[in-house]
Amino acid sequence: GYVFPPLLDEADDMMQAALLMYPFTKLRSLARSGALGSSNSISRILETPLPIRDVVDAIEGNAEALTEKVGNEDVDMCRAALKGLYERHEVSDEGVETVLSFTATLMAYGDERSEEELVYGVGVDSARKRITVAFRGSVTKTDFQTDACIGMVTRPNPLAGMPGQPDEIKIHSGFHEYLLKKNDSTGKSKYDEIMGHVLALFKGRSDHKLYSTGHSLGGALSILFAFEAASDSDLQIPSPVTCVSIASPKAGNESFRKANQLLEEQGRLRHLRVVNEGDPITLGPPASSKLMLLSMSPAALVATMMLSDKVHDEIYKHVGVKLKLYSAADDWTKDKKKAENGKVKSEEAKAKSNSSFFGSLFSTADAKGSGETEMSRAPDATADISSSLAAAFTSVFSSDNAGDQKDKGITETIHRFRSNKYKFSDSTGHWRQDFMNPAAAATVSHHYGFEYSHRMLGLRNELKGMELNDLYRNRSALGTSS
């Protein structure tokens, strides 16, 4: 049967795929415009299939032109994504273990109208037996307008009739229109277009699994895509569908949460929702535009709540199993410096590092970027977490008594360590979960891809041995904290 990889591998592979969407989309746009010249290597990036290794090489090889020509609306996300890739690049060069995957091949890329429509990539990784759909996050004016459309669209619940399931669900109107609205001329939605590529790839690959991912807006789109794919029993796609959403805003109401939860209970959907502590985007939207307008008049809001409990259907809820990354996550450079034991890299290695675009980009980060890195340092109290957690998991997973003892060990480990560098919790729908705090808007830099990539890399030891399926089996132990 299919063997799911460790949680760290799943989360980090998907995160890097999500972050690649920013610079690669811009690079393809520049190639189409002729701004990068007309060499064969430039023309190649507009073709598929294309190995992911070639994607990364193309980004690094044209990075100087990319930063010179990137628009103001793209620069923060592109730079953050490139910084994250550079960090992995240097870790790999230093011989430190990294889970960045270069075995996948890009099979389709939908960016012909990247200024007006969502952007997606579809790849296949036969080594990992995985087909992945990745969505780009917010970059263009249309993307941000989509984010701002916080009204809700009511749709039939595909699970209606099952115990505890309402007849209808409500979904963020902007995300719904971007992914699921039918095109007037073709009669197909972007979801239909993407699923056409996915189903074609599954022919002859029945032993593969479907993954979806994205950062920010892309994360929300990946949630909707995974829900649609998992809830359609007519699709010839092996269960479960796995979604790894990064920095996603909320995508639907309580009914949508319940429908997602049932799919998870039935083994048709797995969802790891990765969020940074202090990322304000993940806390919203709090409610639909209808309810937000009512809240401006307390009397009208109270009257509406007294007359109808439907007002509660206008409140957004998160879904899935949440992995919260704290800014206290260990800086991997600390470990590297310890490993060097006071030795300095050779001048040749320094020259190689500095000649790399990634190296210059990282070393010339602005004051804001340096501040973000500084905040990623761990308090002294967490110094022994890595070895303690590794020992706990070694004890659990090496046991001959794999069943109850493994579950008990996972539960104890979650309770013991969930408040240090990371925290797992279940999306229960409680109003206090991911509550919108206006003060969080001051920490928007925590939303950038580099900050996510950096914190995840700092947890490579702590998350070793952990599997998403084990968390689902022990879901009641995850807690319901914010």
Side-chain angles (χ1 to χ4, degrees):
Y2 187 88
V3 179
F4 285 99
L7 183 147
L8 176 65
D9 288 16
E10 290 187 292
D12 202 61
D13 277 357
M14 292 299 105
M15 182 177 292
Q16 298 315 307
L19 298 185
L20 271 174
M21 298 295 293
Y22 291 106
F24 191 57
T25 300
K26 193 62 184 180
L27 191 66
R28 282 170 58 97
S29 176
L30 292 173
R32 282 198 192 92
S33 70
L36 301 178
S38 57
S39 66
N40 290 336
S41 61
I42 295 301
S43 300
R44 182 72 183 94
I45 67 173
L46 298 175
E47 302 172 357
T48 54
L50 183 67
I52 294 299
R53 165 64 74 179
D54 292 352
V55 171
V56 176
D57 288 346
I59 292 171
E60 182 165 21
N62 296 279
E64 185 175 349
L66 185 62
T67 50
E68 285 179 1
K69 299 178 184 296
V70 71
N72 291 334
E73 74 277 11
D74 294 343
V75 68
D76 285 338
M77 284 303 185
C78 278
R79 284 176 62 89
L82 288 170
K83 283 170 66 179
L85 289 171
Y86 162 70
E87 189 171 54
R88 292 251 180 333
H89 177 79
E90 181 166 309
V91 166
S92 181
D93 284 349
E94 292 296 320
V96 180
E97 181 182 359
T98 176
V99 296
L100 180 59
S101 167
F102 287 119
T103 59
T105 299
L106 182 65
M107 303 301 291
Y109 208 78
D111 65 340
E112 290 77 11
R113 301 184 63 199
S114 61
E115 297 298 314
E116 296 86 26
E117 298 179 344
L118 65 81
V119 174
Y120 68 86
V122 182
V124 61
D125 187 337
S126 294
R128 289 170 169 78
K129 299 186 183 302
R130 177 190 301 163
I131 294 171
T132 301
V133 176
F135 295 91
R136 185 187 66 175
S138 301
V139 170
T140 68
K141 181 187 294 186
T142 307
D143 291 337
F144 290 115
Q145 288 173 343
T146 296
D147 294 334
C149 293
I150 62 172
M152 290 185 177
V153 173
T154 301
R155 298 187 59 211
N157 183 356
L159 306 179
M162 298 183 182
Q165 290 299 305
D167 293 334
E168 297 175 332
I169 58 175
K170 290 187 176 183
I171 298 173
H172 185 290
S173 61
F175 305 153
H176 178 275
E177 180 167 340
Y178 233 23
L179 182 65
L180 300 172
K181 184 180 179 181
K182 302 290 184 182
N183 183 286
D184 292 336
S185 58
T186 65
K188 291 185 177 182
S189 65
K190 280 293 179 180
Y191 171 82
D192 297 329
E193 179 183 322
I194 298 167
M195 188 53 69
H197 294 298
V198 169
L199 293 177
L201 289 173
F202 266 109
K203 290 181 179 178
R205 295 186 178 93
S206 59
D207 58 343
H208 285 43
K209 296 292 185 183
L210 177 61
Y211 280 69
S212 67
T213 189
H215 172 265
S216 191
L217 165 65
L221 295 173
S222 73
I223 292 173
L224 291 188
F225 179 86
F227 175 78
E228 290 292 314
S231 62
D232 189 344
S233 57
D234 293 332
L235 291 177
Q236 300 300 308
I237 293 178
S239 291
V241 175
T242 299
C243 176
V244 180
S245 62
I246 315 295
S248 172
K250 300 170 185 177
N253 70 343
E254 172 67 6
S255 298
F256 180 66
R257 186 195 69 82
K258 287 182 177 179
N260 274 266
Q261 188 174 49
L262 180 58
L263 289 174
E264 291 170 308
E265 292 171 356
Q266 292 176 341
R268 297 160 65 182
L269 176 65
R270 304 158 74 239
H271 180 195
L272 180 68
R273 180 168 58 87
V274 184
V275 305
N276 270 352
E277 177 196 33
D279 181 351
I281 305 303
T282 64
L283 304 179
S288 71
S289 51
K290 173 182 175 182
L291 190 57
M292 295 292 283
L293 287 171
L294 281 172
S295 67
M296 294 179 184
S297 170
L301 179 60
V302 171
T304 303
M305 293 181 71
M306 291 176 63
L307 292 172
S308 174
D309 61 359
K310 288 185 178 181
V311 68
H312 297 291
D313 280 344
E314 300 292 322
I315 297 175
Y316 280 97
K317 301 293 179 66
H318 266 309
V319 294
V321 172
K322 180 172 75 171
L323 168 57
K324 189 173 187 178
L325 308 178
Y326 287 90
S327 58
D330 267 343
D331 191 339
W332 66 268
T333 57
K334 283 185 176 181
D335 297 335
K336 188 179 72 171
K337 288 175 183 177
K338 289 179 182 178
E340 288 173 353
N341 208 13
K343 295 179 181 179
V344 180
K345 289 194 295 183
S346 68
E347 291 301 317
E348 180 179 351
K350 280 185 178 180
K352 177 183 176 183
S353 176
N354 291 335
S355 66
S356 162
F357 165 75
F358 286 143
S360 63
L361 176 68
F362 192 69
S363 63
T364 57
D366 54 25
K368 182 174 66 174
S370 300
E372 292 167 21
T373 303
E374 183 64 30
M375 287 190 293
S376 295
R377 300 230 159 65
D380 293 338
T382 64
D384 295 326
I385 293 176
S386 174
S387 57
S388 300
L389 188 59
F393 273 107
T394 298
S395 172
V396 171
F397 284 91
S398 62
S399 172
D400 292 331
N401 210 356
D404 294 340
Q405 188 172 350
K406 180 176 179 180
D407 290 348
K408 180 181 178 183
I410 293 285
T411 300
E412 290 176 350
T413 303
I414 291 171
H415 278 303
R416 183 178 178 187
F417 294 104
R418 67 184 181 192
S419 297
N420 292 292
K421 298 182 182 181
Y422 64 90
K423 182 188 296 183
F424 287 101
S425 59
D426 189 16
S427 298
T428 63
H430 193 282
W431 70 271
R432 293 182 68 92
Q433 282 194 312
D434 302 289
F435 187 69
M436 187 64 172
N437 176 9
T443 58
V444 68
S445 59
H446 291 243
H447 182 64
Y448 290 160
F450 168 70
E451 187 66 21
Y452 272 87
S453 181
H454 183 72
R455 294 186 193 185
M456 181 66 74
L457 188 60
L459 292 174
R460 65 185 185 278
N461 291 322
E462 282 69 18
L463 296 181
K464 267 186 178 177
M466 192 173 289
E467 297 178 6
L468 181 56
N469 287 348
D470 287 323
L471 298 181
Y472 270 110
R473 290 197 302 135
N474 292 271
R475 199 166 188 174
S476 61
L478 296 181
T480 61
S481 56
S482 61

PDB file of all heavy atoms in Angstrom, residues 95-106:
ATOM      1  N   GLY A  95      25.944  20.455   3.598  1.00  0.00           N
ATOM      2  CA  GLY A  95      25.827  19.046   3.940  1.00  0.00           C
ATOM      3  C   GLY A  95      24.815  18.770   5.030  1.00  0.00           C
ATOM      4  O   GLY A  95      24.729  17.662   5.548  1.00  0.00           O
ATOM      5  N   VAL A  96      24.034  19.773   5.399  1.00  0.00           N
ATOM      6  CA  VAL A  96      22.998  19.581   6.403  1.00  0.00           C
ATOM      7  C   VAL A  96      21.776  18.980   5.724  1.00  0.00           C
ATOM      8  O   VAL A  96      21.456  19.320   4.585  1.00  0.00           O
ATOM      9  CB  VAL A  96      22.627  20.917   7.079  1.00  0.00           C
ATOM     10  CG1 VAL A  96      21.556  20.715   8.132  1.00  0.00           C
ATOM     11  CG2 VAL A  96      23.876  21.537   7.695  1.00  0.00           C
ATOM     12  N   GLU A  97      21.088  18.106   6.439  1.00  0.00           N
ATOM     13  CA  GLU A  97      19.939  17.439   5.843  1.00  0.00           C
ATOM     14  C   GLU A  97      18.868  18.448   5.444  1.00  0.00           C
ATOM     15  O   GLU A  97      18.523  19.342   6.198  1.00  0.00           O
ATOM     16  CB  GLU A  97      19.340  16.437   6.842  1.00  0.00           C
ATOM     17  CG  GLU A  97      18.148  15.691   6.298  1.00  0.00           C
ATOM     18  CD  GLU A  97      17.557  14.736   7.322  1.00  0.00           C
ATOM     19  OE1 GLU A  97      18.104  14.652   8.434  1.00  0.00           O
ATOM     20  OE2 GLU A  97      16.551  14.095   7.000  1.00  0.00           O
ATOM     21  N   THR A  98      18.336  18.331   4.263  1.00  0.00           N
ATOM     22  CA  THR A  98      17.229  19.164   3.798  1.00  0.00           C
ATOM     23  C   THR A  98      16.242  18.296   3.062  1.00  0.00           C
ATOM     24  O   THR A  98      16.620  17.297   2.464  1.00  0.00           O
ATOM     25  CB  THR A  98      17.723  20.298   2.881  1.00  0.00           C
ATOM     26  OG1 THR A  98      16.597  21.013   2.378  1.00  0.00           O
ATOM     27  CG2 THR A  98      18.521  19.769   1.716  1.00  0.00           C
ATOM     28  N   VAL A  99      14.973  18.648   3.114  1.00  0.00           N
ATOM     29  CA  VAL A  99      13.955  17.809   2.482  1.00  0.00           C
ATOM     30  C   VAL A  99      13.445  18.420   1.189  1.00  0.00           C
ATOM     31  O   VAL A  99      12.453  17.980   0.639  1.00  0.00           O
ATOM     32  CB  VAL A  99      12.770  17.568   3.450  1.00  0.00           C
ATOM     33  CG1 VAL A  99      13.217  16.789   4.657  1.00  0.00           C
ATOM     34  CG2 VAL A  99      12.132  18.885   3.875  1.00  0.00           C
ATOM     35  N   LEU A 100      14.118  19.477   0.702  1.00  0.00           N
ATOM     36  CA  LEU A 100      13.693  20.073  -0.555  1.00  0.00           C
ATOM     37  C   LEU A 100      13.766  19.044  -1.675  1.00  0.00           C
ATOM     38  O   LEU A 100      14.785  18.414  -1.905  1.00  0.00           O
ATOM     39  CB  LEU A 100      14.581  21.272  -0.890  1.00  0.00           C
ATOM     40  CG  LEU A 100      14.264  22.022  -2.190  1.00  0.00           C
ATOM     41  CD1 LEU A 100      12.838  22.544  -2.161  1.00  0.00           C
ATOM     42  CD2 LEU A 100      15.234  23.155  -2.400  1.00  0.00           C
ATOM     43  N   SER A 101      12.657  18.853  -2.365  1.00  0.00           N
ATOM     44  CA  SER A 101      12.564  17.800  -3.377  1.00  0.00           C
ATOM     45  C   SER A 101      12.871  18.332  -4.767  1.00  0.00           C
ATOM     46  O   SER A 101      12.328  19.331  -5.193  1.00  0.00           O
ATOM     47  CB  SER A 101      11.144  17.216  -3.365  1.00  0.00           C
ATOM     48  OG  SER A 101      10.927  16.411  -4.499  1.00  0.00           O
ATOM     49  N   PHE A 102      13.780  17.650  -5.475  1.00  0.00           N
ATOM     50  CA  PHE A 102      14.063  17.989  -6.857  1.00  0.00           C
ATOM     51  C   PHE A 102      13.706  16.830  -7.783  1.00  0.00           C
ATOM     52  O   PHE A 102      14.207  16.754  -8.891  1.00  0.00           O
ATOM     53  CB  PHE A 102      15.534  18.370  -7.038  1.00  0.00           C
ATOM     54  CG  PHE A 102      15.880  19.713  -6.481  1.00  0.00           C
ATOM     55  CD1 PHE A 102      16.814  19.833  -5.468  1.00  0.00           C
ATOM     56  CD2 PHE A 102      15.267  20.857  -6.963  1.00  0.00           C
ATOM     57  CE1 PHE A 102      17.142  21.082  -4.963  1.00  0.00           C
ATOM     58  CE2 PHE A 102      15.583  22.110  -6.449  1.00  0.00           C
ATOM     59  CZ  PHE A 102      16.525  22.222  -5.445  1.00  0.00           C
ATOM     60  N   THR A 103      12.893  15.907  -7.308  1.00  0.00           N
ATOM     61  CA  THR A 103      12.559  14.735  -8.124  1.00  0.00           C
ATOM     62  C   THR A 103      11.266  14.915  -8.900  1.00  0.00           C
ATOM     63  O   THR A 103      10.899  14.035  -9.674  1.00  0.00           O
ATOM     64  CB  THR A 103      12.446  13.482  -7.228  1.00  0.00           C
ATOM     65  OG1 THR A 103      11.424  13.711  -6.234  1.00  0.00           O
ATOM     66  CG2 THR A 103      13.761  13.194  -6.526  1.00  0.00           C
ATOM     67  N   ALA A 104      10.580  16.026  -8.701  1.00  0.00           N
ATOM     68  CA  ALA A 104       9.300  16.247  -9.373  1.00  0.00           C
ATOM     69  C   ALA A 104       9.495  16.871 -10.754  1.00  0.00           C
ATOM     70  O   ALA A 104      10.538  17.447 -11.061  1.00  0.00           O
ATOM     71  CB  ALA A 104       8.409  17.143  -8.515  1.00  0.00           C
ATOM     72  N   THR A 105       8.462  16.768 -11.573  1.00  0.00           N
ATOM     73  CA  THR A 105       8.447  17.366 -12.901  1.00  0.00           C
ATOM     74  C   THR A 105       7.177  18.196 -13.060  1.00  0.00           C
ATOM     75  O   THR A 105       6.081  17.728 -12.742  1.00  0.00           O
ATOM     76  CB  THR A 105       8.483  16.286 -13.994  1.00  0.00           C
ATOM     77  OG1 THR A 105       9.689  15.527 -13.858  1.00  0.00           O
ATOM     78  CG2 THR A 105       8.448  16.915 -15.384  1.00  0.00           C
ATOM     79  N   LEU A 106       7.326  19.425 -13.514  1.00  0.00           N
ATOM     80  CA  LEU A 106       6.185  20.293 -13.769  1.00  0.00           C
ATOM     81  C   LEU A 106       5.519  19.858 -15.076  1.00  0.00           C
ATOM     82  O   LEU A 106       6.153  19.836 -16.133  1.00  0.00           O
ATOM     83  CB  LEU A 106       6.655  21.743 -13.871  1.00  0.00           C
ATOM     84  CG  LEU A 106       5.584  22.813 -14.080  1.00  0.00           C
ATOM     85  CD1 LEU A 106       4.664  22.886 -12.874  1.00  0.00           C
ATOM     86  CD2 LEU A 106       6.237  24.170 -14.338  1.00  0.00           C
TER      87      LEU A 106
END
